[in-house]
Amino acid sequence: MEIPTIVGAGLIVIGAGLGIGKIGGSAMDAIARQPEASGKIQTAMLIAAALIEGIGFAALFAS
Amino acid sequence: MEKLIEQFSFGLFFWQLLLFIAVLLLLRKFAWKPILDAVEDRESGIKDALAAAENAKKEMQNVTADSERLLQEARGEREAMIKEAREMKEKMVSDAKDLAQAEADKMIKQAQLAIESEKKAAVADIKNEVATLSLEIAEKVIKGQFSDKAKQLKLVEEMIGEIKLN
Amino acid sequence: MHGFFETDILSDMQKPFYVKVLLVVTLLLGINAFAQEKDHSSSEEKGSLKSEIKEFIGHHLLDSHDFTLFTIDEENNEHVGFPLPVILWDNGLKVFSSSKFHHGESVAEVDGNYYALYHGKIVKTDAEGTINYDDEHHATNVKPLDFSITKNVVFIFLVAALMLFLFARMAKSYKSSAMPKGVGRLLEPIILYIRDDIAIPNIGKKHYKKYMSYLLTVFFFIWIINLLGLTPLGVNVTNNIAVTFALAILTYLITTFTANKNYWKHIFWMPDVPVFMKIVLAPIELLGTFIKPFSLMIRLYANITAGHVVLMSILGMMFIFKNWIGSPLSFGLAFALSLLELLVAALQAYIFTMLSALYFGSAVEEHHDH
């Protein structure tokens, strides 16, 4: 029996969403703790989110 | 993924690469280099100006400190001078006082001496006067007394009596 | 994926990819069957409308050989727009106007050769316009090398001209005064941001200057072209894999050709790890150098494509829900999504620039003891 790829796509989206959500949450915590470093934290957050997103998209297109 | 490869258009890739590199080179020559240079010039200008201002401020502080120090010195000097003057004055006053005292003492002494000698002279004079007066009185008394013979005799006798006593 | 990396160096590392691609192909066939089934099961009218919308979105996402602003009458093939030049290399240069295709309706005859449009691509055909198919329903006709000025190429030209105009003028304004004038006031903070917050922290003060031109050009190019994609013209250039591939390959080439000894040493002979690990790590690191620009390519392509697909789908809802709630809802969602897309347009440009700077930084990083 074949599992429809749309299920795989859903799983990818869940995974990527959880990952990016965690990054965003941690970044918020970090900014709350050190508001003066918010610029650096945002940059790091965006890079990490972009990397996860890239993998997510690659997997989505592979699926 | 298969769809992506199928969608890949070599023509578009070619044009994108060509145009992008052309734009990149043109912009580098005509835009980015002048813009970044201008911005850098401006920034270094601002930095220099800030540094100059900082220097000027420091110099100003130095000058202020110097003048403060000078003022302090002058104040100290003035104080010292005043103190010295006061001391000198006091010394002069006390010297003068001493001198005057000594002079006065000397004068008083001389005066006393003079008074003393005067007094002595006066006393001597008085004594002489008193002696002449007493002699005169005595002469008168004696003249008076010796007018009477009896009395003369009596006196003689008295005197002889006194001599005897001696 | 293996189409891009057909090199011998990679052959041993590619096994997982082959497995994956095989899997993907089977799954793709699966989803096609699934999708077709669904179309058949839905009601006839709605199904045709849905597939029409789907087709429209698919068409919107594709490049085209003529500049169609809108279609008046699909049946009679009446479109408002203008044709663009087609340039082919097929045993000699062939240049003709795309109006010869009549929007894909007819076969163009040039110098005794016949060309037809098949799914947006030009294929060589005969006078009748026959398309031959193989077993998997792919056209087997010869595809000549196509250097046509397509709709997207026109927009690339436009953006290139716009950038040259804007920035050359801005550069000129610095000659008369230290402060920028006009639009330069908006652009200068962005340029400074790219220099101070992207280039210098990632590349380092010593080397950043030689990468500034590329970083600035790529940032403004992606940003402006993404923004143009959001205009009603809706020509989204960056949702073509060819465009993002060209940008990514430039990042890759610049990284590779400016890399110092330290960079290569970290790839082929990772210091401070056992010899066995060095041998294991080398192919992984080497593969990593390809994956980095590859992910750049996919990320930009996918973000813009996804944004447009969702936006168009939401707009398509208007035609599916033919009641009072559909249009306002669709309008509100599309409005919100457009705002989000404005952010995404800038964000993707930022991320592309940022990651490029990061890769350049790793290429010129000086050796330091760990």
Side-chain angles (χ1 to χ4, degrees), chain B residues 26-154:
Chain B
L26 283 174
L27 280 180
R28 185 165 76 176
K29 185 152 191 297
F30 293 113
W32 303 137
K33 227 174 150 52
I35 290 174
L36 288 174
D37 284 353
V39 168
E40 224 151 84
D41 278 358
R42 197 180 66 202
E43 275 169 359
S44 63
I46 290 171
K47 217 186 226 169
D48 287 353
L50 280 179
E54 191 67 25
N55 273 350
K57 205 173 140 196
K58 251 184 208 158
E59 223 148 86
M60 193 70 187
Q61 266 170 355
N62 280 349
V63 167
T64 320
D66 269 5
S67 66
E68 191 75 17
R69 196 169 47 77
L70 281 177
L71 206 65
Q72 203 73 31
E73 264 171 27
R75 204 171 282 151
E77 222 158 272
R78 193 191 66 181
E79 217 112 287
M81 271 163 83
I82 288 174
K83 207 172 152 200
E84 208 174 315
R86 196 176 286 140
E87 274 168 8
M88 202 181 259
K89 182 191 86 181
E90 269 162 16
K91 198 168 158 256
M92 271 164 85
V93 168
S94 69
D95 279 2
K97 257 185 192 164
D98 289 353
L99 208 68
Q101 194 69 43
E103 201 72 17
D105 285 354
K106 210 169 128 193
M107 275 164 82
I108 288 167
K109 227 174 195 171
Q110 273 175 352
Q112 277 172 344
L113 283 174
I115 290 166
E116 199 69 27
S117 60
E118 280 305 304
K119 204 170 109 189
K120 274 181 187 162
V123 169
D125 273 359
I126 290 168
K127 271 182 183 163
N128 288 340
E129 201 70 28
V130 167
T132 35
L133 276 176
S134 359
L135 278 176
E136 274 174 20
I137 292 165
E139 212 179 66
K140 273 174 187 165
V141 167
I142 291 167
K143 268 177 186 169
Q145 281 182 346
F146 281 98
S147 54
D148 191 349
K149 244 176 188 152
K151 271 183 186 178
Q152 280 177 5
L153 286 167
K154 199 187 167 190

Side-chain angles (χ1 to χ4, degrees), chain C residues 314-354:
Chain C
I314 287 172
L315 286 178
M317 268 168 45
M318 234 180 245
F319 302 97
I320 291 173
F321 298 115
K322 278 183 180 152
N323 53 22
W324 64 271
I325 202 162
S327 290
L329 183 70
S330 160
F331 174 79
L333 282 175
F335 181 71
L337 199 73
S338 297
L339 291 181
L340 187 72
E341 284 299 305
L342 277 178
L343 173 72
V344 168
L347 193 68
Q348 288 309 316
Y350 166 72
I351 293 213
F352 197 101
T353 317
M354 182 84 195

Side-chain angles (χ1 to χ4, degrees), chain C residues 127-327:
Chain C
E128 280 80 43
T130 0
I131 307 283
N132 305 311
Y133 298 105
D134 62 4
D135 297 341
E136 287 180 356
H137 204 76
H138 291 142
T140 53
N141 295 48
V142 178
K143 284 177 189 158
L145 272 180
D146 182 0
F147 293 109
S148 305
I149 309 293
T150 58
K151 201 162 84 171
N152 285 340
V153 177
V154 169
F155 262 74
I156 296 169
F157 264 111
L158 268 178
V159 171
L162 183 69
M163 281 173 74
L164 281 175
F165 171 71
L166 275 182
F167 292 111
R169 219 172 60 140
M170 182 182 168
K172 223 173 249 167
S173 83
Y174 278 103
K175 277 188 188 143
S176 52
S177 77
M179 295 304 285
K181 285 196 207 89
V183 76
R185 290 200 182 163
L186 169 73
L187 296 172
E188 199 203 78
I190 302 173
I191 293 173
L192 289 184
Y193 180 81
I194 292 171
R195 191 192 64 177
D196 296 337
D197 287 289
I198 294 180
I200 292 177
N202 288 310
I203 303 174
K205 261 207 148 57
K206 200 172 155 197
H207 297 285
Y208 83 95
K209 267 191 183 145
K210 61 181 167 188
Y211 298 109
M212 274 309 286
S213 301
Y214 177 72
L215 293 176
L216 286 168
T217 315
V218 88
F219 177 84
F220 284 108
F221 183 83
I222 296 176
W223 190 36
I224 294 173
I225 217 154
N226 280 349
L227 285 180
L228 280 180
L230 291 174
T231 56
L233 284 175
V235 185
N236 37 346
V237 179
T238 39
N239 78 355
N240 286 281
I241 200 81
V243 173
T244 59
F245 179 60
L247 293 173
I249 208 158
L250 277 175
T251 295
Y252 174 74
L253 288 177
I254 293 173
T255 315
T256 310
F257 285 113
T258 57
N260 58 14
K261 236 166 71 188
N262 191 34
Y263 174 75
W264 294 117
K265 200 177 156 198
H266 270 79
I267 288 173
F268 290 114
W269 207 244
M270 181 72 87
D272 305 325
V273 292
V275 174
F276 172 70
M277 282 303 285
K278 286 183 197 219
I279 294 163
V280 173
L281 276 176
I284 296 175
E285 286 283 328
L286 189 65
L287 191 69
T289 62
F290 292 107
I291 288 179
K292 280 170 181 174
F294 181 76
S295 75
L296 276 183
M297 168 182 93
I298 289 288
R299 178 177 308 111
L300 181 57
Y301 163 79
N303 264 295
I304 303 303
T305 310
H308 277 259
V309 168
V310 175
L311 194 59
M312 300 284 282
S313 306
I314 287 172
L315 286 178
M317 268 168 45
M318 234 180 245
F319 302 97
I320 291 173
F321 298 115
K322 278 183 180 152
N323 53 22
W324 64 271
I325 202 162
S327 290

Side-chain angles (χ1 to χ4, degrees), chain A residues 58-59 61-62, chain B residues 1-2 4-5, chain C residues 1-6 10 14 16-18 20-21 24 287 291 294 297-298:
Chain A
F61 277 94
Chain B
M1 190 54 63
E2 210 181 32
L4 278 188
I5 294 166
Chain C
M1 192 186 282
H2 66 293
F4 300 125
F5 302 143
E6 269 174 355
L10 286 174
Q14 274 195 329
F17 280 128
Y18 277 123
K20 208 168 189 182
V21 167
V24 163
L287 191 69
I291 288 179
F294 181 76
M297 168 182 93
I298 289 288

